[in-house]
Amino acid sequence: MKLVRIYGRVLEQLGPELKLGYLLVAANLALAIAAFAEPVLFGWIIDALARGQNPATPVTFAAILPLIIAWVVFGLFTIGAGVLVALHADRLSHRRRLAVMANYFEHVLTLPLAFHMQTHSGRVLKIMLEGSNGMAWLWLGFFREHCAALVSLVVLLPLTLFLNWRLAALLVVLVGIFAILTYYVLSRTFALQGAVEGHHSDLAAHASDALGNVPVIQSFTRIEAEARALWGIMHQLLAAQTPVLSWWALASVATRAAATLTVTAIFLLGTWLHLQGLASIGEIVSFMAIATMLIQRLEQAVSFVNSLLMQAPKMQEFFDVLDTVPSVRDRPSAAELGTLTGAIRFEDVSFSYDGKRPAVLDLSFEVKPGETIALVGATGSGKSTTLGLLHRAFDPQSGRILADGTDIRDVTLLSLRRNIAVVFQEPMLFARSIRDNLLAGKPEATEEEMRAALSRAQADDFIARQPEGLDTVIGERGRSLSGGERQRLSIARALLKNPPILILDEATSALDAGTEVKLQKALDEVMKGRTTFVIAHRLATIRNATRILVFEGGRIVEAGTFDELVKLGGRFADLAKAQFLAPAEDKAARPIAET
């Protein structure tokens, strides 16, 4: 039943082309009827010729011509309709494969960061490719062969009872025995194939992880160890796959044996019935042809079930991802948000990743338009989580966040994020051209706007050194650029977006001291007139912040300007002293806290 449900969902993925699918099913029904009619007509022709051997009942060619014409017409129809069905089935399956892949890709991009943190990107990609390809092959096989095979077995086989119930009964029994055998093999291998697919996913994740960290592998001489680990997964895969292959090899042998046994049994029984006057020669010929055809249909049906079994775990993984509901999504009544002034207010906001330990707890603060707010604290103190909540990477479990007086959950995600630009600590660049990376910030940006943003981000000097300028492809995650160059390009992308709210998540951490000084001046200029949130460990970069919020354990423990917090002599003062930005205490003073 689980296989039936999975296959039902596969057919649902035909979506807007489901009507064409119904037409192809109808065409397959017509093909099955035509294929069934051929041996019946041929048997009638044989019986007519046999009766003509009796001088008392001569038969003329004209008398059997209608039967011959009908037989030929059904044969030609089967050939022509089969070509048309196969042609449309091919086109349909390829169109829907690409559409399903695109829908999956779009859906995955909407899933929360928590999903992507827990699921390896190699596994997500493998599920997309194998799931969509598997569906395409199932659609293609179904509309080309398997639909007609199932119709023949389920609908047309019982109709043979009207031709000769004795021969038909034998045929039904033999087909039933074979169906039971197939079901037994299926029941023994379904769970086993699920384990096989799990090993395939592990293989994809391990290979993707290794290929994404080649510098580390080479530097730490891990090539042999990584290859050995991959072979280990492969051996586990083969150990799980071998029993499945053995069972289906048995089914394949049984299919060939069934073909020989069925035709032989029909011939022997038909001969005995003919001698008893209970079956004509034409009926024997018809049933021999029908038996041969049904055995072929059985083989197709077994092939279909085998393919479905092999693809089912991939389909299940695919649908599991599709069924994952984004934890952050638009409410039905979400409104479009215009351009913000930049007024932000957190009201008793709490959030936990695991539901046990709070990442932020009862967070409340207010930011006026144009203010620069710095967030300071140890790793894990809640700084990044706070700003993630602001641009709705996740939603708070309690409390609310207001932008210009409106709860950000009451507006659409797109309109909210259009008002916010984020420069992450990790630049996160695409393996595309510099131009494409910049246009991610503003798709309609002109060449002049891009050049201006690069200049303000102190990036125009290294762009000028690129062989193809803005059209230079910078490799996976921008690896052809230095760390500082990648970060400056990331900052230029955010500046190009020109939003009312700017988030700088340790944006200058990858820059050398000289470039950092120049870039800080540019950022100071850019931050004027817009609300800016800065996460910083280098306290020298936030001297001019309007207000500094010091985080500890998900709470704000201190707030004020740089000078106010140094004079306060608390947590921030300890951090400043550790970075030689405040006078050191004498020996009697308490020790400096670690950063």
Side-chain angles (χ1 to χ4, degrees), residues 73-284:
V73 167
F74 274 115
L76 293 176
F77 171 79
T78 301
I79 295 171
V83 170
L84 288 175
V85 167
L87 181 63
H88 285 288
D90 276 13
R91 293 175 178 176
L92 172 63
S93 64
H94 285 292
R95 282 197 305 269
R96 292 310 302 166
R97 177 180 69 87
L98 295 177
V100 164
M101 192 183 299
N103 291 338
Y104 174 95
F105 179 74
E106 184 176 358
H107 173 73
V108 166
L109 292 181
T110 67
L111 294 179
L113 293 179
F115 171 85
H116 294 282
M117 282 188 248
Q118 296 168 1
T119 310
H120 196 282
S121 58
R123 185 182 293 265
V124 174
L125 180 61
K126 176 251 182 192
I127 291 172
M128 179 180 77
L129 295 177
E130 291 193 349
S132 57
N133 288 337
M135 284 190 213
W137 280 112
L138 288 175
W139 291 325
L140 191 59
F142 180 76
F143 291 122
R144 268 186 176 179
E145 300 174 344
H146 303 145
C147 179
L150 294 174
V151 169
S152 297
L153 293 172
V154 176
V155 178
L156 301 183
L157 178 60
L159 293 181
T160 58
L161 292 169
F162 295 98
L163 297 177
N164 186 304
W165 70 266
R166 296 175 179 85
L167 289 172
L170 176 61
L171 199 56
V172 170
V173 168
L174 291 174
V175 170
I177 292 173
F178 185 77
I180 292 171
L181 175 62
T182 302
Y183 176 79
Y184 178 74
V185 172
L186 182 66
S187 64
R188 294 299 299 267
T189 56
F190 182 74
L192 295 176
Q193 186 59 32
V196 170
E197 197 53 38
H199 291 306
H200 275 294
S201 296
D202 292 340
L203 189 66
H206 183 88
S208 175
D209 193 40
L211 292 173
N213 292 281
V214 170
V216 176
I217 290 173
Q218 292 179 347
S219 175
F220 287 86
T221 62
R222 291 280 306 170
I223 296 175
E224 184 179 348
E226 290 297 322
R228 191 166 54 248
L230 193 70
W231 273 110
I233 298 174
M234 289 178 177
H235 287 312
Q236 293 175 357
L237 192 157
L238 287 173
Q241 184 75 79
T242 299
V244 178
L245 298 176
S246 299
W247 277 107
W248 282 103
L250 175 63
S252 178
V253 171
T255 301
R256 293 186 179 90
T260 302
L261 292 174
T262 300
V263 171
T264 302
I266 290 294
F267 177 75
L268 293 176
L269 179 61
T271 301
W272 185 82
L273 290 174
H274 177 68
L275 295 176
Q276 302 298 318
L278 299 175
S280 67
I281 295 175
E283 288 174 341
I284 296 173

Side-chain angles (χ1 to χ4, degrees), residues 348-355 358-360 389 394-399 409:
D348 298 320
V349 172
S350 295
F351 175 78
S352 172
Y353 290 100
D354 56 10
V360 294
L389 290 166
F394 20 76
D395 283 333
Q397 273 106 29
S398 63
R409 290 171 294 191

Side-chain angles (χ1 to χ4, degrees), residues 422-423 427-430 432-441 450 453-454 457-463 466 469-470 472-475 477-496 507 511 515 519:
V422 184
V423 179
M428 298 186 184
L429 299 176
F430 299 106
R432 304 169 192 172
S433 69
I434 293 172
R435 184 188 305 276
D436 289 337
N437 276 280
L438 288 172
L439 291 177
M450 286 188 282
L454 289 167
Q458 304 294 312
D460 50 353
D461 57 338
F462 80 81
I463 298 296
Q466 301 303 314
L470 293 178
T472 302
V473 177
I474 57 175
R477 298 185 183 180
R479 285 180 178 171
S480 64
L481 304 177
S482 70
E485 289 170 346
R486 291 197 297 269
Q487 192 62 289
R488 280 181 276 172
L489 182 55
S490 174
I491 291 170
R493 178 174 61 188
L495 298 181
L496 192 62
L511 306 180
T515 303
L519 186 57

Side-chain angles (χ1 to χ4, degrees), residues 32 35-36 39 152 156 288-298:
F36 183 77
S152 297
L156 301 183
M288 291 284 288
I290 290 172
T292 302
M293 180 188 71
L294 287 177
I295 291 301
Q296 291 174 346
R297 298 303 194 191
L298 275 172

